[in-house]
Amino acid sequence: MARSVESVRRVALGALGAVLVLVGVALLVLPGPGLLLVFAGVVLLSRAVPALDRYVGPVRRQAMRGVEESVSSPWRIAGSVTAGLCLVGAGLVWGLVPRVPFAGWGTGASLILSGLVLFTLLAWSYRRVHGDRR
Protein backbone atom coordinates (compact mmCIF):
# COMPACT_ATOMS: atom_id res chain seq x y z
CA MET A 1 0.00 0.00 0.00
CA ALA A 2 2.75 2.47 0.92
CA ARG A 3 4.51 1.67 -2.33
CA SER A 4 1.45 2.60 -4.41
CA VAL A 5 0.98 5.86 -2.49
CA GLU A 6 4.62 6.75 -3.18
CA SER A 7 4.17 5.92 -6.87
CA VAL A 8 1.09 8.13 -7.11
CA ARG A 9 2.94 10.94 -5.32
CA ARG A 10 5.90 10.70 -7.70
CA VAL A 11 3.65 10.69 -10.77
CA ALA A 12 1.69 13.70 -9.47
CA LEU A 13 4.89 15.63 -8.67
CA GLY A 14 6.34 14.74 -12.07
CA ALA A 15 3.22 15.81 -13.93
CA LEU A 16 2.90 19.10 -12.05
CA GLY A 17 6.63 19.76 -12.47
CA ALA A 18 6.44 19.09 -16.21
CA VAL A 19 3.48 21.47 -16.58
CA LEU A 20 5.33 24.20 -14.66
CA VAL A 21 8.44 23.73 -16.79
CA LEU A 22 6.41 23.94 -20.02
CA VAL A 23 4.50 27.04 -18.89
CA GLY A 24 7.77 28.58 -17.66
CA VAL A 25 9.47 27.96 -21.00
CA ALA A 26 6.52 29.63 -22.76
CA LEU A 27 6.79 32.58 -20.39
CA LEU A 28 10.46 33.03 -21.24
CA VAL A 29 9.30 34.66 -24.48
CA LEU A 30 5.90 35.89 -23.24
CA PRO A 31 5.45 38.40 -20.43
CA GLY A 32 5.64 36.60 -17.12
CA PRO A 33 7.89 34.96 -14.54
CA GLY A 34 9.30 32.27 -16.83
CA LEU A 35 12.52 31.44 -14.98
CA LEU A 36 10.77 31.20 -11.62
CA LEU A 37 8.23 28.74 -13.01
CA VAL A 38 10.96 26.70 -14.69
CA PHE A 39 12.79 26.61 -11.36
CA ALA A 40 9.65 25.50 -9.48
CA GLY A 41 9.02 22.81 -12.10
CA VAL A 42 12.58 21.50 -11.95
CA VAL A 43 12.38 21.32 -8.15
CA LEU A 44 9.18 19.26 -8.36
CA LEU A 45 10.61 17.06 -11.10
CA SER A 46 13.73 16.43 -9.04
CA ARG A 47 11.53 15.23 -6.17
CA ALA A 48 9.85 12.77 -8.54
CA VAL A 49 13.05 11.77 -10.39
CA PRO A 50 16.11 12.12 -8.13
CA ALA A 51 18.48 11.96 -11.14
CA LEU A 52 17.28 15.45 -12.11
CA ASP A 53 18.50 16.94 -8.82
CA ARG A 54 21.72 18.11 -10.46
CA TYR A 55 19.75 20.65 -12.54
CA VAL A 56 18.16 22.41 -9.57
CA GLY A 57 21.26 24.45 -8.63
CA PRO A 58 21.99 25.95 -12.07
CA VAL A 59 18.33 26.76 -12.73
CA ARG A 60 18.03 28.33 -9.26
CA ARG A 61 21.04 30.57 -9.91
CA GLN A 62 19.62 31.74 -13.24
CA ALA A 63 16.17 32.35 -11.71
CA MET A 64 17.62 34.38 -8.85
CA ARG A 65 19.72 36.38 -11.30
CA GLY A 66 16.51 37.15 -13.20
CA VAL A 67 14.84 38.16 -9.94
CA GLU A 68 17.67 40.60 -9.18
CA GLU A 69 17.59 42.07 -12.68
CA SER A 70 13.81 42.51 -12.62
CA VAL A 71 14.02 45.01 -9.73
CA SER A 72 17.47 46.45 -10.43
CA SER A 73 16.24 49.86 -11.55
CA PRO A 74 13.16 52.03 -11.15
CA TRP A 75 12.58 51.82 -14.92
CA ARG A 76 12.36 48.03 -14.82
CA ILE A 77 9.97 48.16 -11.88
CA ALA A 78 7.84 50.78 -13.63
CA GLY A 79 7.77 48.65 -16.79
CA SER A 80 6.66 45.60 -14.82
CA VAL A 81 3.95 47.56 -13.01
CA THR A 82 2.76 48.98 -16.34
CA ALA A 83 2.63 45.48 -17.85
CA GLY A 84 0.63 44.25 -14.85
CA LEU A 85 -1.82 47.12 -15.11
CA CYS A 86 -2.20 46.45 -18.85
CA LEU A 87 -2.95 42.78 -18.13
CA VAL A 88 -5.58 43.66 -15.53
CA GLY A 89 -7.09 46.30 -17.82
CA ALA A 90 -7.14 43.91 -20.77
CA GLY A 91 -8.80 41.32 -18.56
CA LEU A 92 -11.54 43.77 -17.67
CA VAL A 93 -12.03 44.67 -21.33
CA TRP A 94 -12.21 41.01 -22.37
CA GLY A 95 -14.66 40.29 -19.58
CA LEU A 96 -16.96 43.27 -20.15
CA VAL A 97 -16.88 43.95 -23.91
CA PRO A 98 -18.63 41.22 -25.92
CA ARG A 99 -17.28 42.35 -29.32
CA VAL A 100 -13.59 41.53 -28.72
CA PRO A 101 -12.27 38.19 -30.00
CA PHE A 102 -12.57 35.35 -27.46
CA ALA A 103 -14.66 37.62 -25.23
CA GLY A 104 -15.80 36.36 -21.89
CA TRP A 105 -14.80 36.10 -18.28
CA GLY A 106 -12.72 32.97 -18.87
CA THR A 107 -10.24 34.94 -20.95
CA GLY A 108 -10.64 38.06 -18.83
CA ALA A 109 -10.08 36.22 -15.56
CA SER A 110 -6.93 34.55 -16.86
CA LEU A 111 -5.52 37.92 -17.89
CA ILE A 112 -6.41 39.47 -14.53
CA LEU A 113 -4.88 36.50 -12.71
CA SER A 114 -1.70 36.89 -14.78
CA GLY A 115 -1.48 40.54 -13.77
CA LEU A 116 -1.97 39.67 -10.10
CA VAL A 117 0.70 36.96 -10.30
CA LEU A 118 3.05 39.50 -11.88
CA PHE A 119 2.40 41.98 -9.02
CA THR A 120 2.90 39.26 -6.39
CA LEU A 121 6.19 38.09 -7.89
CA LEU A 122 7.37 41.67 -8.36
CA ALA A 123 6.70 42.42 -4.68
CA TRP A 124 8.43 39.18 -3.65
CA SER A 125 11.43 39.99 -5.87
CA TYR A 126 11.69 43.52 -4.49
CA ARG A 127 11.58 42.33 -0.87
CA ARG A 128 14.12 39.60 -1.59
CA VAL A 129 16.59 41.93 -3.28
CA HIS A 130 16.09 45.15 -1.35
CA GLY A 131 15.05 43.68 1.98
CA ASP A 132 12.29 44.67 4.31
CA ARG A 133 12.90 48.36 5.13
CA ARG A 134 10.97 48.65 8.36
Side-chain angles (χ1 to χ4, degrees), residues 10-89:
R10 289 180 70 178
V11 168
L13 283 174
L16 182 59
V19 167
L20 285 176
V21 167
L22 290 174
V23 170
V25 168
L27 289 178
L28 289 174
V29 294
L30 298 171
L35 276 175
L36 288 176
L37 287 180
V38 170
F39 171 59
V42 169
V43 167
L44 290 178
L45 282 172
S46 72
R47 300 254 167 97
V49 182
L52 297 176
D53 195 38
R54 65 181 178 193
Y55 296 109
V56 172
V59 173
R60 182 181 195 284
R61 282 190 291 279
Q62 284 296 105
M64 292 306 121
R65 189 175 300 136
V67 164
E68 291 171 3
E69 289 176 6
S70 71
V71 293
S72 64
S73 75
W75 289 107
R76 286 183 186 246
I77 295 170
S80 295
V81 169
T82 302
L85 291 173
C86 287
L87 283 169
V88 171

Side-chain angles (χ1 to χ4, degrees), residues 27 32-34 36-37 67 70-71 114-128:
L27 289 178
L36 288 176
L37 287 180
V67 164
S70 71
V71 293
S114 297
L116 295 176
V117 167
L118 190 146
F119 289 138
T120 302
L121 289 172
L122 184 64
W124 178 82
S125 299
Y126 187 84
R127 287 189 71 190
R128 179 170 175 84

Side-chain angles (χ1 to χ4, degrees), residues 89-123:
L92 291 172
V93 168
W94 257 263
L96 295 172
V97 179
R99 292 184 305 257
V100 296
F102 307 108
W105 281 109
T107 305
S110 66
L111 288 168
I112 292 170
L113 182 63
S114 297
L116 295 176
V117 167
L118 190 146
F119 289 138
T120 302
L121 289 172
L122 184 64

